[in-house]
Amino acid sequence: MSLAELWFFVIAGLWSTYLVLEGFDFGVGMMMGVAARNEDERSEMIETIAPVWDANEVWLLVVGGLTFASFPAWYGTWLEAAYLGLVVLIIALLMRVVSFEWRGRVNPRWRGLWSGINIGASVAAPLIWGLVLSVLLAGLPVAGGGRVGEMRYFGDILDFITPYSVLGALSLTALFAFHGALFLSLRLDGELGERIRQRIVKLDARHLLPNLMLPALLLGGGFLVATPFVAQSVNERSILPVAIPAALGLIALIAAVVNAQRGQFARAFICTIITIIGWVATLFIGLFPRIIVSTISLGDSVTIANAQSSHYTLVVMTVAAVVMIPVIILYQWWGFRTLMARLGRGKMPWSAPDPS
C-alpha cells in the first residue's frame, strides 16, 4: 500500500470519527423537535451534549485540513462542485452554534425560535453530508485527470440529485436520529429519560420515537445493500470487497434494533456506532482507487494517484499525524470520561467511577 492510499483510508477513518460523534449531536437536535414537550425539556436535552458538542466539531476541521493537504485536487474539485450545498451547510452549522449560546441569554419568548433553528440545522447537516459524500460514488461531470489546476467541474446543482445520493442523504439522517435517541436514552434520567426509553422500546404507532428504528433500518440498510451494486456498475468495482463492510454495517444495524427492543440501550448505541462506521467504510471502499467518479468517463475521474500531494508532503503529514491524532483522541476520551455524567442520577455506562 502506498502512502497516498494509506492517507485515503486515514481520511475515511476521520470521516467515521466525525460522523459518529456529530451524529448523536445532530440526533439530539432532531429529538428536540419530536420528543420534547416544552422548552425546559429541550434545554435538558441540550445539556446532554453541552460538554462535548464543540469538541466533536473539531474533527471536521481535522478531516478538512488533512484532505486539503493530502489530496488538493480532490479538495478543490469537490468544493467547486458542492459549493452551494456547503455554503448552506456552513450557515446551518454557524446558526446551530449561535442557537446553543443565545437560547439561554435572550428573552424567554425567543427560546422557541432558537430551538427551531437548532432543530432545522440538525436535520439539514446530515442531509447535506449524506448527499455530498454519496455523490462521490454516484458520479459527477468532472474532467481533467485529477491534476491540480486542470480538473474542472462541468455540471450544476442538479447533478447531485440522483437516486443513490438521495438515499445516502436520507439514510444518514435516519441513522443519526436513531443514534441520537439512543444517546438520550443513556444520558437522561427522570421523567424525560424514562419516556424516551419507553418510547424506543414500545412499538406503539401513537409514539414517534419507535418509528425511528424503521426508517433507520430501511434507509440505512438500503444504502448498505445498494452501495456494492452501485460501485460495480458506476466504478467497475468488484462486489465482494464492498459487500464485506456493508454486511457488517447491516448486521450491526439489525443488532441495534434488537438490543433497543430488549432495553439494552448501551449495546444498541455501540451498534449504531458500528453501523455509521460501516456506512463510511462501504462508501470509501466502493470508491477506491478513485475519489470522485466522473460521469464523463472513468478516465477523467479524480483518483488517489493523480490527486495526491508530493511524497515529501505526505511523509511530513504522516509524522505529524502519528504525534497529534493520538493526543486529540486521548483528550476527547478524557473529556467523555470526566464530563459525561448522566443527568438526573448516576453515570453513563462508560463514565469514570465516582471517586467518593
Side-chain angles (χ1 to χ4, degrees):
M1 177 182 292
S2 69
L3 200 55
E5 292 172 343
L6 173 63
W7 269 102
F8 174 78
F9 289 109
V10 168
I11 289 171
L14 293 172
W15 271 113
S16 296
T17 303
Y18 169 69
L19 294 177
V20 164
L21 294 175
E22 278 284 78
F24 65 74
D25 284 354
F26 293 139
V28 168
M30 293 184 226
M31 291 303 98
M32 287 168 55
V34 299
R37 292 175 176 172
N38 51 54
E39 287 301 321
D40 288 337
E41 290 190 345
R42 292 190 180 97
S43 296
E44 192 173 351
M45 288 182 176
I46 288 176
E47 285 299 314
T48 66
I49 58 174
V52 295
W53 68 263
D54 50 351
N56 292 343
E57 290 190 339
V58 168
W59 290 100
L60 178 58
L61 302 178
V62 173
V63 72
L66 292 179
T67 301
F68 172 75
S70 55
F71 298 102
W74 177 17
Y75 184 90
T77 306
W78 194 19
L79 260 64
E80 178 187 0
Y83 76 94
L84 182 59
L86 293 178
V87 166
V88 174
L89 175 67
I90 291 171
I91 293 173
L93 293 178
L94 288 174
M95 294 303 293
R96 177 172 171 266
V97 171
V98 172
S99 72
F100 282 125
E101 299 296 330
W102 283 23
R103 278 189 80 257
R105 299 178 185 272
V106 298
N107 190 302
R109 290 177 296 180
W110 291 85
R111 292 175 68 194
L113 172 64
W114 290 109
S115 294
I117 290 173
N118 193 301
I119 294 166
S122 298
V123 174
L127 282 172
I128 295 174
W129 279 133
L131 193 71
V132 300
L133 283 168
S134 57
V135 81
L136 296 174
L137 180 58
L140 290 168
V142 296
R147 291 174 291 277
V148 178
E150 297 182 15
M151 176 59 67
R152 292 290 181 269
Y153 172 65
F154 296 96
D156 54 43
I157 191 64
L158 294 179
D159 292 304
F160 283 78
I161 309 301
T162 70
Y164 178 73
S165 62
V166 170
L167 177 60
L170 295 175
S171 66
L172 197 62
T173 305
L175 288 173
F176 282 6
F178 187 29
H179 192 46
L182 290 170
F183 177 81
L184 287 172
S185 73
L186 296 173
R187 192 78 168 87
L188 289 172
D189 267 326
E191 179 186 353
L192 178 58
E194 185 60 27
R195 189 194 320 141
I196 290 174
R197 285 186 287 274
Q198 288 297 319
R199 287 185 178 183
I200 292 176
V201 173
K202 291 180 180 178
L203 289 174
D204 187 342
R206 295 173 300 174
H207 294 145
L208 182 59
L209 281 176
N211 296 333
L212 293 173
M213 293 186 293
L214 184 59
L217 186 60
L218 294 179
L219 294 171
F223 180 86
L224 292 169
V225 170
T227 299
F229 298 99
V230 173
Q232 182 189 47
S233 63
V234 174
N235 199 32
E236 296 184 352
R237 286 285 280 147
S238 175
I239 285 183
L240 182 59
V242 189
I244 293 173
L248 294 175
L250 184 58
I251 291 170
L253 180 55
I254 294 172
V257 172
V258 172
N259 279 294
Q261 286 295 296
R262 293 176 176 175
Q264 300 290 335
F265 300 110
R267 292 181 182 178
F269 184 69
I270 292 172
C271 288
T272 56
I273 291 174
I274 297 172
T275 301
I276 294 170
I277 294 172
W279 191 98
V280 177
T282 303
L283 177 64
F284 273 74
I285 292 175
L287 277 169
F288 184 86
R290 297 176 179 87
I291 307 177
I292 303 177
V293 176
S294 174
T295 56
I296 297 175
S297 72
L298 278 181
D300 284 305
S301 300
V302 183
T303 68
I304 294 173
N306 62 24
Q308 67 182 32
S309 294
S310 67
H311 180 73
Y312 176 77
T313 300
L314 294 176
V315 170
V316 172
M317 287 175 55
T318 303
V319 173
V322 168
V323 175
M324 294 306 300
I325 290 180
V327 172
I328 297 173
I329 293 173
L330 286 172
Y331 175 78
Q332 189 138 33
W333 172 82
W334 174 85
F336 272 93
R337 294 277 293 182
T338 305
L339 302 174
M340 296 294 278
R342 176 176 282 170
L343 300 184
R345 65 178 187 274
K347 291 282 187 177
M348 291 281 280
W350 54 79
S351 297
D354 190 339
S356 62

